[in-house]
Amino acid sequence: MVKTTKLSAVINGKCPHCRRGDIFTGNLYGLNLQRTNDNCGHCGQRYEIEPGYFYAAMYVSYAMNVTEMIATGFATYIFSGGNLEFDSLWLYVSVIFGGCFLLSPFNYRYSRIILLHWLSPRIGYNPIYDRP
């Protein structure tokens, strides 16, 4: 078996314990809804460590959402030629909230992935799963 790096596991949504099993079912943007698996299909790691564990992912999602709002606001300012008139208020509002709407599946998935990989002290990588 090939050793998987932490960054590759985060990008591909793999289990933080074995870096092999999928955390989610369904595609990021697809007709079937994405759902968080209960356990890893490869090592059996339970993802929701305790009841209500993923409520903490809301804080991560909030930070991601604020960052995206600021970035789309600056991008709108640059692409509109620095227009800050009151008439352009609806341009900013529609672009910022449209971006938030389009990125909500991304935020849902990656806020949970970040919580599991980087903010969970009880889940650590176990290299024993890299052996054949």
Side-chain angles (χ1 to χ4, degrees):
M1 292 189 151
V2 179
K3 184 177 179 180
T4 307
T5 64
K6 184 166 192 142
L7 182 62
S8 173
V10 168
I11 290 171
N12 295 316
K14 300 297 181 182
C15 173
H17 188 63
C18 67
R19 297 182 185 166
R20 302 271 183 240
D22 291 325
I23 297 174
F24 290 94
T25 60
N27 296 330
L28 182 61
Y29 290 101
L31 295 178
N32 55 347
L33 293 175
Q34 59 180 326
R35 190 181 67 76
T36 306
N37 290 325
D38 294 328
N39 297 324
C40 176
H42 187 259
C43 69
Q45 170 69 43
R46 182 174 160 88
Y47 294 129
E48 189 170 8
I49 299 170
E50 54 196 32
Y53 178 72
F54 286 121
Y55 284 126
M58 290 188 309
Y59 298 108
V60 177
S61 178
Y62 176 75
M64 293 170 67
N65 212 352
V66 167
T67 305
E68 292 159 0
M69 289 174 127
I70 291 170
T72 54
F74 277 129
T76 305
Y77 175 77
I78 290 169
F79 288 126
S80 69
N83 187 5
L84 284 177
E85 301 295 323
F86 184 74
D87 298 337
S88 64
L89 174 70
W90 289 109
L91 171 68
Y92 284 93
V93 169
S94 62
V95 169
I96 289 172
F97 285 116
C100 289
F101 178 74
L102 290 175
L103 291 172
S104 62
F106 175 84
N107 289 345
Y108 171 79
R109 181 174 285 220
Y110 282 98
S111 64
R112 290 180 177 219
I113 291 171
I114 289 170
L115 178 69
L116 285 169
H117 277 274
W118 284 311
L119 301 175
S120 296
R122 291 198 276 170
I123 300 177
Y125 173 63
N126 192 347
I128 197 165
Y129 293 106
D130 284 335
R131 294 188 200 144

